[in-house]
Amino acid sequence: MKVLITGKLPAAAEERLRQSGYEIDRHDEDAPLTPEALRERAKDADGMITLLADKIDEALLEAAPRLKVVANYAVGYNNIDVKAATARGVTITNTPDVLTAATADLAAALALACARRVLEGDALMRAGKFTGWKPDMLLGAELEDKTVGVVGAGRIGSAFARRMAGFGMRVAYFNRSRNERLERELGAERLELAELMRRADLVSLHVPLSEETRGLVSAEMIAALKPTAIVVNTARGEVIDEKALIDALKNRRIFAAGFDVYENEPNLNPDLFELTNVVLLPHLGSATKETRDVMADLAARNVAAVLNGETPPTPVEE
Ligand code: GLV
Ligand code: GLV
């Protein structure tokens, strides 16, 4: 049986699949396969390990009649038409849990970098402009006793909330359902989104992208933010009105924003480069050595389980 792997994953997982007798076809270049190339390579594949850049839609499924499983190398799976896959008996899996700490850490890194103007300080040093300690140099925002608003209190949102509670922040959250554990553990308060936007000093996005969450943080929501607010997005660019956010940053209607994801990834709105009150990262949420190794292992186990007729460890439910 053939497994198509669409990118350069850590080698150990691939080696295990090979040792289990699967034929591996791996796309070895950094640029993702075009939709045509993906269909061509998938046409005799029994299983696939895919990246977020690969679109798994009706046309791909149609072109891959042998396909039984698509293991997405990510927790998010907005690149996959799960309904169409399920209708064809193709199992979809993702990599939840194993990247929760890494992603929550990165969101915290963005929050702190924004609050304490870490990149502006670094730029000043590199420009040779440090002439000594100054009482008014690069004053940032204190986090202690402020409110963090967590939009999406799932695994990652909860892990982020715990980290920020460690910095002395009060926790508010917006979530479809109540998160009693977070309320019990951190005294977190569940709010409507508009109320959270009005009250939070730091807003961090942790919802998956779906039709329900596309554009969730609208221009109107952004307008409700305090002038001292910080926004962090490690979820998906399309969850927030990026243009409205950039306008708010440009006009200093909010303090700063940390981006790990973008509406039109990997193409960035050029206005972002003009702003000094942003931190821009290249989608690094899960990018630790440890996490990527475990993600690869989990993806490989998902593929092997389905091809063996077993229940995979982390299937996605439509
Ligand atoms: C990364 O964005 C992921 O969904 O794992
Ligand atoms: C992602 O796994 C989440 O639930 O936040």
Side-chain angles (χ1 to χ4, degrees):
M1 286 196 270
K2 180 180 136 174
V3 178
L4 171 62
I5 303 179
T6 66
K8 288 188 249 174
L9 266 48
E14 175 181 330
E15 196 42 47
R16 272 208 311 123
L17 283 174
R18 222 185 273 283
Q19 274 167 11
S20 307
Y22 298 106
E23 181 196 332
I24 304 293
D25 174 18
R26 191 183 61 200
H27 174 60
D28 269 330
E29 282 150 46
D30 286 326
L33 287 164
T34 63
E36 299 73 38
L38 187 63
R39 285 199 291 275
E40 178 59 28
R41 295 276 280 271
K43 70 174 196 270
D44 58 347
D46 300 278
M48 291 172 75
I49 299 180
T50 51
L51 310 186
L52 288 169
D54 304 316
K55 213 171 159 65
I56 306 302
D57 54 11
E58 190 63 51
L60 181 282
L61 294 163
E62 173 73 35
R66 296 173 57 92
L67 197 60
K68 287 276 172 301
V69 55
V70 176
N72 214 36
Y73 187 63
V75 66
Y77 46 87
N78 51 287
N79 56 313
I80 298 178
D81 185 341
V82 178
K83 196 179 248 163
T86 306
R88 287 174 182 270
V90 177
T91 300
I92 305 299
T93 69
N94 65 342
T95 61
D97 300 317
V98 297
L99 46 56
T100 295
T103 309
D105 283 354
L106 195 83
L110 283 171
L112 288 163
C114 286
R116 302 307 302 274
R117 307 177 68 175
V118 169
L119 293 200
E120 288 170 90
D122 184 83
L124 179 147
M125 298 305 280
R126 290 172 196 271
K129 289 186 180 158
F130 181 45
T131 55
W133 192 93
K134 287 195 195 75
D136 62 348
M137 185 165 59
L138 290 178
L139 301 187
E142 191 92 16
L143 295 178
E144 183 159 54
D145 293 329
K146 301 277 182 61
T147 298
V148 58
V150 179
V151 179
R155 288 165 290 230
I156 299 170
S158 297
F160 174 74
R162 282 184 202 103
R163 281 156 175 71
M164 301 323 289
F167 286 100
M169 299 194 84
R170 280 185 298 276
V171 177
Y173 73 98
F174 167 77
N175 203 55
R176 232 179 356 192
S177 54
R178 221 179 127 184
N179 187 330
E180 291 183 44
R181 183 165 164 207
L182 209 60
E183 294 180 14
R184 214 170 38 238
E185 264 180 40
L186 305 178
E189 186 181 2
R190 184 176 174 207
L191 299 177
E192 287 305 322
L193 185 58
E195 180 64 16
L196 178 144
M197 299 297 284
R198 270 193 295 278
R199 279 216 240 152
D201 300 283
L202 163 64
V203 173
S204 189
L205 309 184
H206 299 283
V207 288
L209 177 63
S210 66
E211 284 326 301
E212 199 184 332
T213 62
R214 188 180 295 277
L216 175 71
V217 184
S218 60
E220 193 188 336
M221 292 291 168
I222 292 165
L225 287 166
K226 296 178 185 180
T228 49
I230 294 167
V231 175
V232 167
N233 189 4
T234 54
R236 287 291 181 269
E238 297 96 319
V239 168
I240 191 163
D241 184 331
E242 190 177 276
K243 189 171 174 313
L245 179 60
I246 290 171
D247 283 345
L249 289 159
K250 217 186 262 178
N251 301 316
R252 306 277 162 172
R253 279 188 283 104
I254 65 172
F255 185 66
F259 293 76
D260 190 42
V261 290
Y262 307 85
E263 205 169 284
N264 194 22
E265 218 170 297
N267 303 310
L268 265 60
N269 183 325
D271 291 353
L272 282 169
F273 301 119
E274 307 296 320
L275 300 172
T276 54
N277 53 349
V278 297
V279 179
L280 307 175
L281 294 182
H283 203 145
L284 295 178
S286 66
T288 68
K289 174 79 175 68
E290 294 88 341
T291 287
R292 290 283 164 86
D293 283 348
V294 182
M295 284 168 66
D297 185 65
L298 182 55
R301 284 191 291 126
N302 274 308
V303 167
V306 175
L307 295 184
N308 275 330
E310 296 156 15
T311 305
T314 52
V316 163
E317 317 287 350
E318 173 43 20

